[in-house]
Amino acid sequence: MKNHPYPSTPSHYLSACLRNAYNSYLPMHQKNYQPPGKPRYEVLDGLRGVAALIVVAFHLLEVYSGGPVHQIINHGYLAVDFFFILSGYVVGYAYDNNPRLTAWNFAKRRLVRLHPMVVFGSLLGALLFYFQQGDTFPPIAATSAGTLLVITLVCCTLLPLPPSCDIRGWAETNPLNGPAWSLQFEYLANILYFFVLRRLPATVIGLLAAGAAILTIDLTMNLDIFNLLGGRGLLANTVVGGWCITEQQCYIGLTRLLYPFLCGLLLSRTVRSPRIKGGFLLCSVLLVTALAWPRLGGEQQGWQNGLYEAGCILLLFPTIVVLGAGSTAGRSQRLCRWLGEISYPLYLTHYPLVYLQTAWANAHPDAPTATHAFVYVAVFALSLLTAYACMRLYDIPIRAWLRRRYL
């Protein structure tokens, strides 16, 4: 007797429905990262999650760091540059050699992948905005509900706000969710990719990457070729910046974007990654060490730190991506998958909580060290819980629905 294609009992039918409902969400989420028919880079998923965790720890510790030279987890901001390399690699892998790809189809796919969390992060920032009021953010007290509403709507579109629209005091292009600045550059990279870069041969991409590497060296070594890097103080010889619409900040943001994205795109086209068994641990150790390394050169020998950051961006991060792309996750497969799933929600939901923690820490400088440590751990845990809940209840379902409806 042949097996019937449908469950034979109500309990079997219910189990099948639940299983199919779960599978309808998870593969949709996974296909956002790699296209159907191509294998997933599970180790790169995991490394993206590791970098996101370092970003959260770095941001929460900034208030206790005593300035750029003494920053705890000193080079955590380099995770953004690592994200850009990953983005170039994955976008090239996913969309190269597809002559039928139209601008509208590409735009829809990238919007479905990226924009739901942009909206959620901005709305979360608006929800917590007035709870951050205090001496740390003086403009909040003078911001009306109507102004906040207008700013929120603009932030949900990801259009960058000029300093004249600042309602926090940090001159961020998204004053409700600071890290969204990197998504603005991510969108710019996607536009450049579709209309220009995907049509260029690897040789030209390599030449463009070499030119962008010069910009990276100009920034990290503070050569100031274009007279745009003056007045940076202790931030000289770092890549810190990119979140404000000024000539200097736009130059820093573009510099941080161009070489990593071009390099990742070039690697996806030209380099055959060596097969490494269980390379997730090795790549994670290299990445965490690079991001947590102390400031080099102190206040007087900043060139040492610039040389270090140039080495990370130009050489170490591409090496980690190549090793990760060739690695098998092995026993770390489930961990890599979970880290990859939570990385983007974590990156775009943690900063409204960081604003709260920063305002509290500055308002209670005399609180016992144990209290500050408890608040730090609690906010870190809350960031993870918020990101996980957002991932399960919002990000995965809403993108699955958008894919079914529009793709």
Side-chain angles (χ1 to χ4, degrees):
M1 181 177 178
K2 294 182 180 180
N3 292 329
H4 198 275
Y6 298 101
S8 57
T9 67
S11 62
H12 290 166
Y13 179 77
L14 179 60
S15 298
C17 287
L18 292 174
R19 184 169 59 253
N20 290 337
Y22 173 78
N23 290 335
S24 71
Y25 285 127
L26 187 58
M28 285 291 182
H29 172 64
Q30 292 173 345
K31 289 175 185 177
N32 283 327
Y33 188 51
Q34 299 293 356
K38 291 187 177 182
R40 286 173 55 80
Y41 288 124
E42 292 176 334
V43 171
L44 295 186
D45 278 356
L47 293 176
R48 187 176 57 183
V50 170
L53 290 171
I54 293 295
V55 167
V56 177
F58 166 78
H59 283 151
L60 287 172
L61 285 170
E62 274 191 294
V63 68
Y64 303 112
S65 296
V69 175
H70 307 288
Q71 188 88 312
I72 306 169
I73 309 183
N74 195 276
H75 291 91
Y77 49 83
L78 291 179
V80 172
D81 308 85
F82 181 73
F83 290 146
F84 285 147
I85 290 182
L86 279 180
S87 178
Y89 192 93
V90 171
V91 167
Y93 175 73
Y95 297 106
D96 275 354
N97 303 318
N98 187 352
R100 294 183 298 174
L101 186 67
T102 65
W104 179 231
N105 196 337
F106 179 74
K108 286 193 296 183
R109 290 182 180 277
R110 299 312 293 160
L111 285 169
V112 168
R113 173 66 184 98
L114 299 173
H115 214 78
M117 281 308 310
V118 171
V119 173
F120 188 93
S122 297
L123 293 177
L124 180 62
L127 180 66
L128 299 178
F129 182 71
Y130 287 116
F131 293 99
Q132 302 152 7
Q133 185 173 331
D135 293 339
T136 305
F137 308 114
I140 291 180
T143 302
S144 67
T147 300
L148 177 61
L149 177 60
V150 173
I151 295 295
T152 301
L153 293 175
V154 176
C155 289
C156 286
T157 68
L158 207 59
L159 292 173
L161 287 166
S164 60
C165 295
D166 184 23
I167 58 174
R168 179 175 301 282
W170 284 3
E172 296 165 301
T173 55
N174 186 324
L176 302 178
N177 192 18
W181 73 267
S182 62
L183 271 297
Q184 293 162 351
F185 282 100
E186 175 73 20
Y187 273 32
L188 175 61
N190 280 259
I191 293 171
L192 289 174
Y193 169 79
F194 182 84
F195 290 105
V196 180
L197 299 178
R198 76 187 185 102
R199 308 174 190 278
L200 300 179
T203 303
V204 176
I205 298 295
L207 292 174
L208 291 175
I214 295 174
L215 299 182
T216 299
I217 294 172
D218 176 55
L219 176 60
T220 56
M221 301 307 295
N222 202 37
L223 302 179
D224 202 7
I225 298 173
F226 304 103
N227 295 319
L228 292 172
L229 299 177
R232 299 192 72 214
L234 294 177
L235 292 179
N237 299 114
T238 75
V239 297
V240 175
W243 52 78
C244 180
I245 301 182
T246 64
E247 287 186 353
Q248 182 183 95
Q249 290 290 303
C250 288
Y251 174 67
I252 293 172
L254 284 171
T255 299
R256 297 185 71 176
L257 168 71
L258 288 176
Y259 174 80
F261 190 85
L262 289 167
C263 180
L265 180 59
L266 182 65
L267 292 175
S268 73
R269 294 184 181 183
T270 60
V271 176
R272 183 181 296 275
S273 299
R275 303 300 297 174
I276 300 176
K277 187 176 181 180
F280 174 65
L281 178 59
L282 170 64
C283 293
S284 295
V285 170
L286 289 175
L287 182 59
V288 172
T289 301
L291 299 181
W293 199 262
R295 168 81 172 228
L296 299 179
E299 297 183 9
Q300 305 301 323
Q301 303 293 325
W303 64 268
Q304 297 179 19
N305 193 75
L307 190 63
Y308 174 80
E309 294 195 10
C312 287
I313 295 170
L314 299 179
L315 299 174
L316 179 60
F317 291 167
T319 300
I320 292 175
V321 169
V322 169
L323 293 176
S327 297
T328 56
R331 296 180 179 178
S332 304
Q333 184 178 33
R334 293 183 65 181
L335 176 61
C336 287
R337 182 172 298 175
W338 183 82
L339 287 170
E341 289 172 350
I342 202 171
S343 60
Y344 188 50
L346 181 61
Y347 183 71
L348 281 183
T349 60
H350 79 281
Y351 215 65
L353 300 175
V354 171
Y355 290 135
L356 285 173
Q357 180 254 4
T358 301
W360 181 89
N362 286 335
H364 300 83
D366 298 326
T369 301
T371 302
H372 283 282
F374 174 80
V375 170
Y376 175 89
V377 173
V379 176
F380 191 97
L382 183 59
S383 299
L384 283 174
L385 290 173
T386 302
Y388 181 77
C390 178
M391 175 190 76
R392 298 299 302 170
L393 301 176
Y394 171 79
D395 188 38
I396 292 177
I398 195 66
R399 289 195 287 117
W401 180 82
L402 289 171
R403 277 183 167 274
R404 289 194 299 269
R405 184 172 179 84
Y406 296 107
L407 300 182

